[in-house]
Amino acid sequence: MKKEQVMAEPFRIKVVEPIRLISREERERRIKEAGYNVFGLKSDDIYIDLLTDSGTAAMSDNQWAGIMLGDESYAGCRGFRHLEEAVHDVLGFNYVVPVHQGRAAERLLFQVMVKKGDVIPFNMPFDTTDACIRSLGGKPVNCVADVAYEPQAIHPFKGNIDLVKLRALITEVGAQKIPFIMLTITNNAGGGQPVAMSNLKEVKEVASEYEIPVFIDAARCAENAYFIQQREEGYQDRALAEIIKEQFSYSDGCTFSCKKDPMANIGGLIGLNNEELYRKILPLLIAQEGFITYGGLAGRDLEAVARGLREMTDDDLIASRIRQVEYLGELLVDSGIQIIQPVGGHALFVDVASFLPHIPQSHFPADALAVELYLESGVRAVGLGALAFSTPDEGTGETISPKMELLRLAIPRRVYTDRHMDVVAEGLKRVYERRNQIRGLRIVHAPPVLRHFLARLEPV
Ligand SMILES: *Cc1c(COP(=O)(O)O)cnc(C)c1O
């Protein structure tokens, strides 16, 4: 939908939270204390925080009003009814399992559906999803189209499943070993890249041939719908709300981290139409999260989630959000910095291999760049490279480094202005200009798993 006029954010600011830039000397002290790992920084020492878009949104006045109206009854609270209505209206599901966040939704659904030896095709599984399936003895298999691995290739739907890979996998392992197929929209692990409606439809058709259910990992389903509206034939004149709902019509259910597009600070859910499956999940829900009408959340959180689900269907809101991510992307490209193209819905990714070609992966260039950006301008982004994703080879035990070294800048929803984006871009540009002087990092100590969250590092 082309607009004639320049459009600003479709909201004005009613509450503000002060932030400040501490001095360069202080930043040097803080990052040293943090073991040269941005996860160890205190938020008060950060000027602009682009660590994640999860749970960091600014809630609306309507969501805050819902917080005040929260009904804290243990069973049968009003907030649950509002959540059921919102899930039905926005996503089209009849049954809702509330949970404290997305990974709890995954754990409950997978415990009921995944057996040892099962294989689950994905476009690309998100890390918590991957870990949960493996812990149950299942094997997630990546069936994303190859273009997802070409950072500079401009393609409208880099999150699509490759249907040839999907069919080959079903033929190879047999449909009885596949309890469901899962599509993550947008594809977070692949850089927030969208999945086309045609792909959702085709995956459902293939799945139906073999009577395999399809689930959607729905955290950014509104952003995905926006990309469909902008990029897919036949959707230009359709309202976002309609497109969001159509996506789920090609599925049997969803898991949903409501800390993303629904702009709640905490919360998640499972949406389903199959009553039998819903009934199987309930005892686990009570044992692991809480009673079936609150699922580990306060009643007030249910209100914030229910209202956020409705708000995320606003065309202008999602358009302004993605425009801001694109704006930052353009500033970086104009400075000669290479980023993954096209920018994703919630984040953009700097190609660190081209930024710091002189630092070998064994010296963690992505994390070194995160440290430099913090030192330069007080901005926190996160390195996603060898520190996070190196794995030992199953045979030789040698370290296998990931294909890419990336710096992720995730943009919280409704939190920062374009001026903040200018500061981020300018800081990164200054680091780029002195990139030849930047050194890598080495590990002082780190746990064997999930080491990028906890590692202590030092300059080489
Ligand atoms: C964030 C996320 C999850 C996990 O949700 P949490 O609320 O963080 O537990 C699962 N899948 C995707 C795609 C996500 O982005």
Side-chain angles (χ1 to χ4, degrees):
M1 277 185 245
K2 270 261 174 288
K3 297 255 162 66
E4 263 105 69
Q5 195 187 324
V6 177
M7 297 295 288
E9 281 65 27
F11 51 81
R12 52 185 177 177
I13 296 164
K14 179 143 57 179
V15 177
V16 296
E17 179 183 2
I19 52 175
R20 74 189 178 108
L21 178 62
I22 58 174
S23 70
R24 168 96 196 193
E25 293 71 44
E26 274 182 278
R27 297 201 290 280
E28 281 168 7
R29 265 202 308 280
R30 296 303 175 220
I31 196 72
K32 191 172 177 195
E33 285 164 9
Y36 294 92
N37 181 342
V38 294
F39 278 98
L41 290 169
K42 293 185 183 67
S43 64
D44 285 346
D45 298 328
I46 294 161
Y47 185 37
I48 298 172
D49 198 354
L50 306 186
L51 183 67
T52 177
D53 67 321
S54 178
T56 53
M59 291 205 294
S60 66
D61 53 357
N62 183 45
Q63 283 177 299
W64 281 109
I67 295 269
M68 289 308 294
L69 293 170
D71 168 6
E72 304 302 339
S73 305
Y74 191 93
C77 69
R78 272 191 308 276
F80 180 64
R81 215 159 55 241
H82 296 160
L83 180 65
E84 280 185 312
E85 287 162 6
V87 167
H88 181 265
D89 294 350
V90 176
L91 312 179
F93 295 115
N94 295 325
Y95 298 99
V96 186
V97 175
V99 293
H100 79 281
Q101 62 181 74
R103 65 200 72 187
E106 293 163 3
R107 185 154 25 86
L108 289 171
L109 182 71
F110 299 166
Q111 283 174 100
V112 169
M113 296 199 73
V114 178
K115 296 186 308 298
K116 202 167 180 328
D118 280 350
V119 169
I120 295 95
F122 274 85
N123 48 349
M124 211 188 256
F126 180 64
D127 52 10
T128 59
T129 318
D130 190 279
C132 183
I133 287 176
R134 286 182 198 279
S135 74
L136 295 164
K139 188 179 158 201
V141 177
N142 204 325
C143 294
V144 77
D146 288 337
V147 71
Y149 298 107
E150 296 170 31
Q152 298 304 314
I154 307 275
H155 183 285
F157 294 105
K158 282 176 145 179
N160 281 356
I161 272 194
D162 182 331
L163 293 159
V164 176
K165 286 188 197 169
L166 177 64
R167 277 191 188 276
L169 181 67
I170 299 173
T171 312
E172 185 198 323
V173 304
Q176 73 288 347
K177 282 230 171 240
I178 301 181
F180 58 90
I181 298 167
M182 198 155 196
L183 280 151
T184 310
I185 64 172
T186 57
N187 181 17
N188 186 355
Q193 299 291 329
V195 176
M197 192 72 88
S198 59
N199 196 248
L200 286 164
K201 207 175 193 167
E202 285 160 351
V203 168
K204 184 61 181 163
E205 281 164 13
V206 173
S208 301
E209 273 176 47
Y210 297 95
E211 293 181 36
I212 301 171
V214 175
F215 285 88
I216 290 178
D217 181 349
R220 298 179 185 81
C221 61
E223 291 172 6
N224 200 77
Y226 175 79
F227 286 121
I228 289 172
Q229 187 187 56
Q230 297 301 307
R231 298 177 184 174
E232 193 163 350
E233 182 85 42
Y235 288 92
Q236 272 72 28
D237 296 321
R238 303 264 303 272
L240 198 66
E242 245 182 277
I243 302 173
I244 292 172
K245 206 165 180 178
E246 186 184 333
Q247 297 176 124
F248 293 99
S249 72
Y250 306 118
S251 78
D252 298 274
C254 72
T255 59
F256 205 149
S257 168
C258 299
K259 300 169 70 173
K260 319 287 171 56
D261 278 354
M263 299 166 286
N265 299 132
I266 194 74
L269 61 88
I270 305 173
L272 293 167
N273 282 327
N274 180 332
E275 184 177 354
E276 195 190 327
L277 182 55
Y278 173 66
R279 302 248 164 251
K280 274 196 209 160
I281 292 171
L282 293 185
L284 293 173
L285 171 61
I286 297 172
Q288 295 173 18
E289 288 283 293
F291 187 64
I292 63 172
T293 60
Y294 76 86
L297 293 167
R300 54 180 173 268
D301 299 325
L302 296 170
E303 288 291 350
V305 170
R307 288 162 192 240
L309 280 168
R310 293 187 190 278
E311 284 177 23
M312 75 173 188
T313 66
D314 180 351
D315 286 90
D316 292 341
L317 183 66
I318 306 295
S320 83
R321 184 241 184 327
I322 294 192
R323 186 206 52 73
Q324 187 174 53
V325 181
E326 288 170 348
Y327 173 71
L328 178 57
E330 283 158 20
L331 293 178
L332 297 184
V333 169
D334 289 348
S335 306
I337 296 167
Q338 285 203 23
I339 60 171
I340 296 197
Q341 296 280 7
V343 298
H346 67 290
L348 56 90
F349 294 78
V350 174
D351 177 15
V352 182
S354 71
F355 198 113
L356 299 172
H358 59 287
I359 301 181
Q361 274 190 297
S362 56
H363 289 167
F364 312 122
D367 304 273
L369 183 54
V371 166
E372 287 304 324
L373 179 61
Y374 174 71
L375 287 173
E376 184 64 44
S377 52
V379 173
R380 176 160 69 172
V382 62
L384 295 174
L387 186 64
F389 299 129
S390 290
T391 46
D393 182 278
E394 280 171 26
T396 64
E398 257 174 69
T399 303
I400 307 177
S401 297
K403 281 190 205 149
M404 295 200 268
E405 285 287 321
L406 301 172
L407 181 76
R408 186 182 76 179
L409 306 156
I411 318 294
R413 295 166 182 78
R414 301 193 289 213
V415 170
Y416 293 117
T417 66
D418 288 358
R419 193 77 176 141
H420 291 106
M421 298 302 116
D422 293 341
V423 170
V424 173
E426 203 183 275
L428 209 50
K429 185 179 170 193
R430 280 198 303 268
V431 176
Y432 189 62
E433 281 159 4
R434 60 175 173 80
R435 63 189 181 278
N436 296 332
Q437 297 149 31
I438 295 170
R439 291 174 299 160
L441 299 166
R442 67 175 155 240
I443 291 178
V444 177
H445 63 81
V449 288
L450 297 174
R451 60 182 187 170
H452 69 295
F453 294 110
L454 301 165
R456 289 191 72 83
L457 307 161
E458 65 185 8
V460 172

